[in-house]
């Protein structure tokens, strides 16, 4: 396709140096390189769309947490309002389980440390699940240009072999291998650029989700450590304290009696 576009101005009757013709001249190596790059590209887009779905799901869960969770009377009641497989419900359930387990510990451990460690493990499990597959994107972005370059090197080598075997080869004899070589380089870059962009974008979104989970985990820890006395303030429920009314100052008397405190003389 690329070669057809670039060769659009070629004169009529010129040899066909299209994409498939170049691959046929490249043989098994060219087809193998193309197959590897196609697998990398399909895998990259699959991970991109699946991770976007997972991230958006957790972001929607965060909106429901801010709207409904902290208006509940207890953590269990709030957890019942969340989805069963919600990441935020997992943190709440792990915190409640850690609170129950602390009373059965034989080794004296402070409740705060035990709860903090349990919630941190829950956060790490969620973040690890979100990060799954991103290593593949990073690998594709780093290696696909070199896979394409391998095809380029092989194509140029084949062109040089043809020139050496013919002694004085025409340009038509080497255009096919050289064209196949350049196509492999272009395909490698086409695969690498979306993978790198997707990796950086997903990483940024994961960072924002991790910050929200950390803040929620800290709020749950404060609630458990204070037996419900400490919970985040909700903007929708916050009230502004009314300022105390200031009593009006008495107006000073204008009579002599009011100034001196004496009784006014009778007329």
């Amino acid at each position: 396709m690329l070669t057809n576009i670039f060769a659009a101005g070629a004169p009529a009757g010129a040899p066909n140096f299209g994409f498939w013709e170049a691959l046929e001249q490249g043989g098994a190596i060219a087809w193998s390189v193309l197959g590897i790059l196609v697998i990398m590209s399909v895998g990259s887009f699959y991970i991109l769309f699946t991770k976007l779905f997972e991230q958006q799901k957790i972001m929607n869960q965060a909106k429901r947490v801010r709207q409904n969770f902290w208006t509940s009377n207890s953590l269990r009641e709030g957890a019942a309002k969340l989805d069963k497989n919600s990441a935020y419900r997992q943190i709440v359930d792990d915190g409640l389980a850690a609170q129950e387990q602390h009373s059965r510990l034989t080794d004296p451990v402070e409740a705060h440390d035990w709860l903090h460690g349990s919630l941190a493990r829950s956060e790490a499990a969620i973040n690890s699940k979100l990060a799954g597959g991103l290593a593949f994107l990073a690998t594709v972005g780093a290696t696909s240009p070199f896979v394409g370059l391998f095809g380029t090197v092989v194509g140029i080598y084949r062109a040089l072999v043809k020139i050496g075997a013919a002694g004085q080869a025409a340009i038509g004899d080497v255009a096919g291998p050289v064209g196949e070589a350049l196509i492999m380089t272009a395909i490698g870059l086409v695969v690498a650029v979306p993978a790198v962009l997707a990796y950086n974008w997903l990483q940024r979104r994961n960072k924002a989700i991790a910050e929200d989970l950390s803040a929620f985990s800290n709020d749950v820890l404060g609630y458990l450590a204070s037996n419900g006395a400490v919970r985040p303030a909700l903007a929708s429920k916050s009230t502004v304290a009314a300022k105390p009314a200031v009593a009006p100052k008495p107006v000073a008397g204008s009579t002599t009696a009011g100034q001196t405190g004496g009784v006014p003389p009778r007329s």
Side-chain angles (χ1 to χ4, degrees):
M1 181 180 296
L2 292 176
T3 52
N4 291 334
I5 295 175
F6 295 148
N16 190 0
F17 297 120
F19 177 72
W20 301 112
E21 288 75 9
L23 289 178
E24 289 176 359
Q25 294 184 24
I29 295 179
W31 285 103
S32 299
V33 171
L34 178 64
I36 293 174
L37 291 175
V38 169
I39 293 173
M40 286 182 171
S41 180
V42 172
S44 299
F45 280 101
Y46 173 78
I47 291 174
L48 171 62
F49 291 120
T50 54
K51 288 303 170 183
L52 281 177
F53 176 78
E54 291 181 9
Q55 290 176 343
Q56 191 60 45
K57 183 178 179 181
I58 295 182
M59 289 179 176
N60 293 335
Q61 293 169 1
K63 295 178 182 178
R64 290 193 289 271
V65 167
R66 288 191 291 267
Q67 293 173 356
N68 303 322
F69 182 80
W70 292 112
T71 59
S72 306
N73 296 324
S74 65
L75 288 183
R76 295 188 184 277
E77 179 182 342
K81 298 180 180 180
L82 303 178
D83 297 337
K84 184 177 181 180
N85 297 324
S86 170
Y88 291 88
R89 180 165 182 173
Q90 176 180 335
I91 292 177
V92 176
D93 291 342
D94 291 343
L96 293 173
Q99 190 179 42
E100 296 176 357
Q101 294 168 359
H102 180 263
S103 60
R104 297 195 295 267
L105 295 178
T106 57
D107 188 23
V109 179
E110 291 188 6
H112 179 274
D113 295 339
W114 177 256
L115 292 174
H116 184 270
S118 299
L119 293 174
R121 288 194 299 271
S122 183
E123 284 183 62
I126 297 171
N127 292 330
S128 177
K129 184 178 179 181
L130 285 174
L134 296 187
F136 180 82
L137 291 178
T139 302
V140 170
T143 60
S144 58
F146 297 101
V147 175
L149 184 61
F150 172 76
T152 299
V153 172
V154 173
I156 293 177
Y157 172 74
R158 291 178 55 255
L160 295 176
V161 169
K162 278 192 174 184
I163 294 175
Q168 188 177 0
I171 188 64
D173 297 332
V174 298
V178 172
E180 172 251 329
L182 297 178
I183 289 173
M184 289 303 167
T185 300
I187 295 176
L189 295 176
V190 168
V191 173
V193 171
V196 173
L197 294 177
Y199 174 81
N200 292 331
W201 187 34
L202 293 176
Q203 279 283 59
R204 181 64 188 90
R205 288 166 64 91
N206 278 348
K207 183 179 179 181
I209 292 174
E211 291 174 355
D212 289 340
L213 290 173
S214 178
F216 179 75
S217 176
N218 187 65
D219 293 335
V220 172
L221 177 61
Y223 187 97
L224 293 173
S226 63
N227 292 325
V230 176
R231 65 171 63 194
L234 300 178
S236 59
K237 297 296 182 180
S238 60
T239 57
V240 179
K243 296 182 180 180
V246 179
K249 295 182 180 180
V251 180
S254 59
T255 60
T256 307
Q259 297 173 358
T260 58
V263 179
R266 296 181 181 180
S267 57

